[in-house]
Amino acid sequence: MIKLGRNDACWCGSGLKYKKCHSSFDDKIEEFRLKGAIVPDREMIKTKEQIEGIKASAKINMEILDYVGEHIKAGVTTEEINQWVHDITIKNGAIPAPLDYEGFPKSVCTSINNVVCHGIPSKDVVLKDGDIVNVDVSTILNGYFSDSSRMYCIGEVSEDKKRLVEIAKKSIEVGLEQVKPWGFLGDMGQAINDFVRENGYTVVREIGGHGIGLEFHEEPWVSYVSEKGTEMLMVPGMVFTIEPMINMGAQEIYIDEEDGWTVYTEDGSPSAQWEIQLVVTEDGYEILCW
Ligand code: MF3
Ligand code: CO
């Protein structure tokens, strides 16, 4: 990290002198670091301009999920959902982030029932009455990344699956209560894990959220089974996702050996996930994408 002079222009691009801008902010982070905290580096702290860029990307991402919500129903294949997502993204001058990401073959992830995440759309997978499905959309616009996912209930869904979907959604709200500057990601992770367990479900340990903005997956990795007071310090300008995967049964998972992507619950129980993207602000957070 470059040490700036007090009268130099601030690194955040505000045009202000460093002493009038992020100087005391940097000092505060340094204090936490000296006390042993894991602290973010500068790349994780987004400027105003970058946040505007992410918001424009997020607008498309949310429009896509709205469209999916209006058209998804029994009889639709997950390949059709992939086509919707791909076409709306391109029409808006954007790029679907999942396509070719580490070899992922499609433009969106579609994860049904006992699929935890990273389900690959296919013309052979037809949605049917009673399914719960996660559609995970990620968009790149002008180099800025957005990422969010929602659950959809197809037709008549059983009460126990509906409850799973609701608790998964609520767990994000519970986590959000802990998102504020100078708190720790573990405060949020523990709140989610405690809430989910109180409701009789489990949180997947191996897959978490992530920083995002100029890349699809940036530091930090965000766990939802972490402990209060641990993990990275949250500071204004940090952008990351909250996307806990909640299993009705045991927390163990496995990855499909054939396709290398699809993640299943070990015990075959249903799993639900919602994902939002946020920025930490001076007094809490702002949701950028949901
Ligand atoms: N959207 C997923 C996430 O929340 C990422 C999926 S990676 C992909 O991080 F390649 F499968 F798309
Ligand atoms: Co994500």
Side-chain angles (χ1 to χ4, degrees), residues 146-207:
S146 57
D147 184 9
S148 62
S149 78
R150 300 181 193 164
M151 293 297 296
Y152 302 95
C153 291
I154 308 301
E156 280 302 308
V157 170
S158 66
E159 284 307 317
D160 59 341
K161 274 183 175 175
K162 252 191 239 168
R163 182 172 177 273
L164 177 71
V165 169
E166 274 154 29
I167 294 294
K169 187 169 195 184
K170 217 152 173 221
S171 76
I172 293 187
E173 288 161 29
V174 169
L176 277 173
E177 284 170 25
Q178 301 300 320
V179 177
K180 45 181 157 311
W182 319 112
F184 293 90
L185 283 174
D187 305 350
M188 182 270 293
Q190 174 158 4
I192 290 181
N193 194 23
D194 288 352
F195 174 76
V196 169
R197 291 170 69 123
E198 277 159 24
N199 280 284
Y201 303 139
T202 60
V203 180
V204 171
R205 293 163 296 189
E206 297 86 343
I207 312 169

Side-chain angles (χ1 to χ4, degrees), residues 98 101 104 109 118 136 138 147 210 216-217 243 261 275:
Y101 176 79
F104 192 78
C109 300
H118 302 168
D136 191 341
S138 317
D147 184 9
H210 49 96
F216 196 172
H217 296 115
E243 50 175 318
W261 281 101
E275 173 176 18

